[in-house]
Amino acid sequence: MTEIMDIVTARDPGQPEFHQAVSEVAESIKPVLDKNPEYRQAKVLERIVEPERIIQFRVPWVDDKGEVQVNRAFRIEMNSALGPYKGGLRFHPSVNISILKFLAFEQTFKNALTTLPMGGGKGGSDFDPKGKSDNEVMRFCQSFMAELYRHIGPNTDVPAGDIGVGAREIGYLFGFYKKLRNEFTGVLTGKGLNWGGSLIRPEATGYGVVYYAAEMLATRNETLEGKTCLVSGSGNVAQYTTEKLLEFGAKIVTLSDSNGYIYDPEGVSQEKLEFVKMLKNVRRGRIKEYAEKYSGAEYVALESGQDHNPLWDYQAHCAFPSATENEINALDAQNLVKNGVKVVAEGANMPTTPDGIDVFLNNGVLFGPSKAANAGGVSVSGLEMTQNSMRLGWNRDEVDNRLQMIMKNIHKTCLDAAEEYGTPQNYMNGANIAGFVKVVDAMLDQGVV
Ligand code: NDP
């Protein structure tokens, strides 16, 4: 464990998010390595932390004022033991190689848990779509694809969306790939419904997180009915987490964006949620407007440098972090436990810091780690690839039923692996162990490549 961290930190100094992700997995899988000496002998850990390939490129584009802008972009092709590289693209000013490597590393195990044939990858750019016109976003996407197209393909690497990359961006990216290759193919997922997309793909991550939370609660003979829930974010994952929670009879009292959050003691209704969807997806406005429209709700601006996030300091039973990494620290976790939270299901990737996770595990919180709880999105992306290959589209119920079945299986896989290695109900260990074993067994079968 220390050995691998020594290697990773020496080789890649200044990549704290990547170190954090590796350290969490390395800690969990120690008993697996002790039980299976052939893994150590074949240096699987040393191999799995090293991306198979990293592509870095310049993205020049011209803004609406006629000025040239230059962004930096990456694609991390992390691991192809189980299938073509698969993972989203993130457009956000914070994007750097450390963040994308952590996401690609996590993605490898997440994709393994889905049982679908997908390797792990992730990519993106420090481009900020916020405040840009549609034309600027299109020009950026076209310049981005002008390089990326030579590295991806339906049997090689199949990107999707993530923060800052939704239906609009996937459309522009797909259009330009098609033009360059003269090929209409399933090279991206999250496509529009009438040009190769899958029903339920936009909903899949959020719905899947709620299915996972329901499975965790069922182990204690409880349901989500009547439970008060804290949700962060107001993008794709937060919106559809909220929608499914409403369907299951829960009450959602918070939503946020990077400037602040709303607290609505009456709860977010379906009608209010429709307003949020329109606000965020069409008007591309700020969550503050929710409190301006609904007088029962208050808006709290977030200040930088705060030692905790007040969004996590309300009485509730469940928490669904759905914005970004490290949004729950140890103090936030203590506040959540103090306020009665018994279930945390991670919609965002790695939203809880390691000491925050310790607080949850030490207090008997049902903690669904991101690589298991939010695997619904990539699962339906996998189903989109299947439908593209078959050149047909399943109906809504068919996709949703498959999604539910996959989330149920992932939950059981994590539970069983945690039990087998002596840490019952520790879903984090279960997810890390089950994902790791599946990937490294395939790597061993395929030789030293
Ligand atoms: P969106 O871009 O649709 O929404 C992101 C939301 O999080 C926005 O409300 C955004 O606010 C907020 N946010 C982003 N960065 C920060 C930050 N640094 N601090 C506070 N708030 C922030 O992205 P998604 O909903 O798709 O993604 C959310 C999380 O879920 C990410 O961690 C992503 O990796 C993960 N995820 C997404 C999947 C998917 O299918 N989309 C699949 C699996 C995981 P603002 O508008 O101010 O930027």
Side-chain angles (χ1 to χ4, degrees):
M1 193 335 240
T2 344
E3 234 171 86
I4 193 67
M5 289 318 296
D6 286 348
I7 294 173
V8 168
T9 48
R11 205 175 242 180
D12 298 310
Q15 297 186 1
E17 294 85 1
F18 181 55
H19 300 166
Q20 184 181 334
V22 173
S23 160
E24 186 204 289
V25 171
E27 190 76 53
S28 293
I29 55 135
K30 203 174 164 302
V32 183
L33 297 180
D34 292 343
K35 203 172 152 186
N36 301 279
E38 70 274 19
Y39 289 161
R40 276 215 172 89
Q41 210 177 349
K43 299 240 164 75
V44 287
L45 204 49
E46 288 83 344
R47 283 152 65 184
I48 213 167
V49 297
E50 198 58 34
E52 289 178 11
R53 191 175 300 106
I54 295 182
I55 300 136
Q56 180 181 329
F57 53 104
R58 177 175 74 195
V59 187
W61 57 282
V62 180
D63 68 18
D64 286 347
K65 294 190 210 107
E67 275 176 38
V68 175
Q69 302 287 340
V70 183
N71 285 96
R72 175 175 282 184
F74 307 89
R75 184 70 182 166
I76 316 288
E77 296 185 334
M78 195 76 197
N79 193 298
S80 61
L82 297 178
Y85 308 106
K86 182 88 196 88
L89 297 170
R90 176 176 291 192
F91 292 168
H92 192 273
S94 64
V95 162
N96 59 36
I97 202 157
S98 170
I99 288 179
L100 294 181
K101 274 177 68 184
F102 117 63
L103 288 164
F105 185 72
E106 292 279 298
Q107 192 82 45
T108 301
F109 305 109
K110 180 186 312 193
N111 294 1
L113 289 172
T114 68
T115 71
L116 300 173
M118 299 181 289
K122 201 84 190 188
S125 171
D126 58 2
F127 172 74
D128 188 358
K130 241 180 277 169
K132 305 286 189 303
S133 70
D134 285 352
N135 274 330
E136 288 177 321
V137 171
M138 182 178 74
R139 285 195 293 274
F140 172 81
C141 287
Q142 293 183 339
S143 179
F144 181 87
M145 189 51 87
E147 174 59 37
L148 190 69
Y149 86 99
R150 37 181 135 249
H151 308 288
I152 62 175
N155 297 311
T156 312
D157 184 348
V158 185
D162 190 75
I163 291 177
V165 178
R168 173 182 62 171
E169 291 75 15
I170 293 290
Y172 294 147
L173 292 165
F174 182 82
F176 212 62
Y177 179 90
K178 182 166 61 76
K179 184 179 172 77
L180 291 168
R181 284 262 194 218
N182 192 22
E183 223 178 63
F184 193 110
T185 180
V187 67
L188 291 157
T189 56
K191 299 187 287 299
L193 250 191
N194 55 354
W195 45 277
S198 173
L199 283 160
I200 305 280
R201 177 58 190 92
E203 296 90 335
T205 307
Y207 281 15
V209 174
V210 178
Y211 294 145
Y212 197 90
E215 288 296 314
M216 291 199 292
L217 272 167
T219 64
R220 294 186 180 169
N221 295 320
E222 285 186 60
T223 69
L224 283 159
E225 174 98 45
K227 302 277 195 296
T228 299
C229 302
L230 307 176
V231 176
S232 65
S234 51
N236 173 273
V237 179
Q239 290 169 19
Y240 290 105
T241 294
T242 302
E243 184 160 288
K244 189 52 77 176
L245 283 172
L246 278 173
E247 201 184 307
F248 282 9
K251 180 178 179 186
I252 303 92
V253 293
T254 59
L255 287 171
S256 70
D257 61 26
S258 47
N259 297 112
Y261 70 90
I262 59 101
Y263 173 67
D264 185 347
E266 291 161 18
V268 179
S269 61
Q270 187 65 42
E271 181 218 314
K272 293 173 181 172
L273 175 61
E274 292 309 321
F275 168 74
V276 173
K277 286 186 191 170
M278 193 269 298
L279 175 70
K280 300 301 286 187
N281 310 346
V282 182
R283 282 184 35 218
R284 300 184 190 274
R286 311 304 298 156
I287 200 66
K288 186 177 182 192
E289 293 176 49
Y290 181 106
E292 288 160 8
K293 185 166 167 73
Y294 301 109
S295 56
E298 63 168 319
Y299 174 74
V300 181
L302 288 173
E303 286 144 37
S304 58
Q306 283 177 299
D307 64 350
H308 73 291
N309 183 344
L311 185 155
W312 305 121
D313 203 1
Y314 292 94
Q315 289 286 328
H317 196 282
C318 312
F320 293 87
S322 313
T324 194
E325 56 272 7
N326 293 330
E327 54 171 317
I328 296 181
N329 63 22
L331 195 51
D332 297 317
Q334 280 156 12
N335 284 335
L336 286 165
V337 169
K338 182 189 77 196
N339 287 316
V341 165
K342 301 278 190 299
V343 178
V344 176
E346 295 187 325
N349 281 311
M350 206 169 76
T352 313
T353 59
D355 48 1
I357 295 175
D358 289 343
V359 172
F360 293 144
L361 296 180
N362 293 336
N363 284 280
V365 171
L366 290 168
F367 172 69
S370 50
K371 62 171 75 68
N374 75 22
V378 75
S379 300
V380 175
S381 274
L383 300 179
E384 183 173 327
M385 289 164 72
T386 308
Q387 294 168 80
N388 290 165
S389 301
M390 297 194 302
R391 298 193 186 278
L392 54 76
W394 292 323
N395 67 32
R396 202 178 159 84
D397 280 351
E398 194 154 357
V399 182
D400 197 20
N401 289 340
R402 284 175 197 268
L403 171 63
Q404 285 183 54
M405 214 160 60
I406 290 171
M407 296 314 295
K408 235 183 204 314
N409 285 340
I410 295 177
H411 173 266
K412 184 165 181 328
T413 301
C414 297
L415 207 56
D416 291 350
E419 179 88 35
E420 185 187 339
Y421 282 91
T423 52
Q425 288 244 322
N426 183 329
Y427 291 95
M428 182 188 71
N429 278 349
N432 287 336
I433 290 169
F436 177 80
V437 168
K438 185 149 190 227
V439 177
V440 299
D441 280 350
M443 287 171 71
L444 288 186
D445 288 347
Q446 293 168 21
V448 181
V449 288

